[in-house]
Amino acid sequence: LEPFTIIFVQSAVVSVEKAAEDPIFGHADFDAAKETLAAAKESLSNEEQPNLSAICGTLLGAVSKLGANVIIGEESQEHKDKRVKSMTGRFKRKLERIKRASHKNGLIDCSGPGIMFCCALSKAPKEDWGNEQNQLQYWIRSENFDIFDYNEEVECDIRGSVALVGSHATISCGEIKSTFHREAYASAVAQLQLRSNLVEFVLRQIFGERFTTNPIKKGHLFVLEANEDHQNFSHEVEGDLSVFVHHVH
């Protein structure tokens, strides 16, 4: 992940800059923060070894000013709340995590940015997952990429497992829901897909060409209180993930 860190920080600067273009940040009090963002972008472009921790700290300072929880000028309470949410609510916590990428063991710390970076990379087209880093770097630099759109952590109700036999792999993961309805099912499937895709990405980075076939992916949804919908979803295929629904008596 280390070669990608600077690109993720560049993406973070671009994302905050785009958000700051909203007219709600048009007051002159925000000009200094916008200049700070421009300076951070220039440092990333011109310095051979930019201080990523310092740049992330600068970004956090700009976000704090842009998302100040006070009414600026003649803005309404509604506009102030929108401004605070679009800055502090969207960027602050994830920026703090990204900042740890340049710290010792920052990328392998369970509370660091490594999971967030892997979640983002696992969403890239699978043909770009190979060891040719230029492909993934190009994808990260694409116009529609936004590092803040990706999970900073992956919750897991039931610890997953991976079975490796030769060039084949089976990935299993589980989710628990207290009741069963279509919304709960959709939410569980999204979590199961995220986890299984993330595990597949990491396996391919570690073992490379060892896999000659796509892994088998199984998601198990355990329901504490079943209803008639439960029977309709006993076994579904969602993309490349087989989902099994179990009623826990």
Side-chain angles (χ1 to χ4, degrees), residues 201-214:
F201 172 77
V202 173
L203 286 175
R204 289 194 183 278
Q205 297 307 304
I206 295 173
F207 295 105
E209 298 300 320
R210 173 172 172 178
F211 293 111
T212 56
T213 59
N214 290 324

Side-chain angles (χ1 to χ4, degrees), residues 18 28 38 60 72 77 84 117 133 146 239:
K18 284 183 178 178
L60 281 164
I72 303 294
Q77 180 70 35
V84 172
F117 290 175
Q133 292 183 349
D146 187 343

Side-chain angles (χ1 to χ4, degrees), residues 88-214:
T88 306
R90 174 163 167 73
F91 297 119
K92 186 175 183 293
R93 191 170 73 173
K94 288 186 175 181
L95 269 174
E96 289 172 344
R97 185 155 292 195
I98 294 172
K99 184 179 179 181
R100 296 183 205 152
S102 57
H103 297 175
K104 183 179 179 181
N105 297 327
L107 289 171
I108 60 174
D109 188 323
C110 63
S111 62
I115 293 294
M116 185 178 176
F117 290 175
C118 283
C119 282
L121 293 171
S122 69
K123 291 289 186 178
K126 287 191 177 182
E127 57 267 25
D128 293 345
W129 280 12
N131 292 324
E132 292 294 329
Q133 292 183 349
N134 288 340
Q135 292 175 288
L136 283 173
Q137 290 177 2
Y138 180 80
W139 180 76
I140 298 169
R141 289 190 170 102
S142 64
E143 186 175 333
N144 296 324
F145 180 85
D146 187 343
I147 185 59
F148 297 100
D149 284 342
Y150 300 97
N151 290 51
E152 63 192 276
E153 55 191 24
V154 177
E155 297 179 357
C156 190
D157 286 341
I158 299 174
R159 180 175 293 181
S161 66
V162 178
L164 296 174
V165 180
S167 61
H168 302 278
T170 299
I171 300 168
S172 298
C173 48
E175 184 81 2
I176 299 173
K177 292 293 182 183
S178 57
T179 58
F180 190 90
H181 48 79
R182 292 178 185 273
E183 291 77 12
Y185 176 79
S187 172
V189 167
Q191 286 293 324
L192 294 169
Q193 287 177 323
L194 169 63
R195 283 181 227 146
S196 62
N197 209 47
L198 178 60
V199 171
E200 181 188 358
F201 172 77
V202 173
L203 286 175
R204 289 194 183 278
Q205 297 307 304
I206 295 173
F207 295 105
E209 298 300 320
R210 173 172 172 178
F211 293 111
T212 56
T213 59
N214 290 324

Side-chain angles (χ1 to χ4, degrees), residues 208-225:
E209 298 300 320
R210 173 172 172 178
F211 293 111
T212 56
T213 59
N214 290 324
I216 296 171
K217 298 180 182 179
K218 297 180 180 180
H220 296 275
L221 172 56
F222 297 89
V223 184
L224 303 183
E225 295 180 17

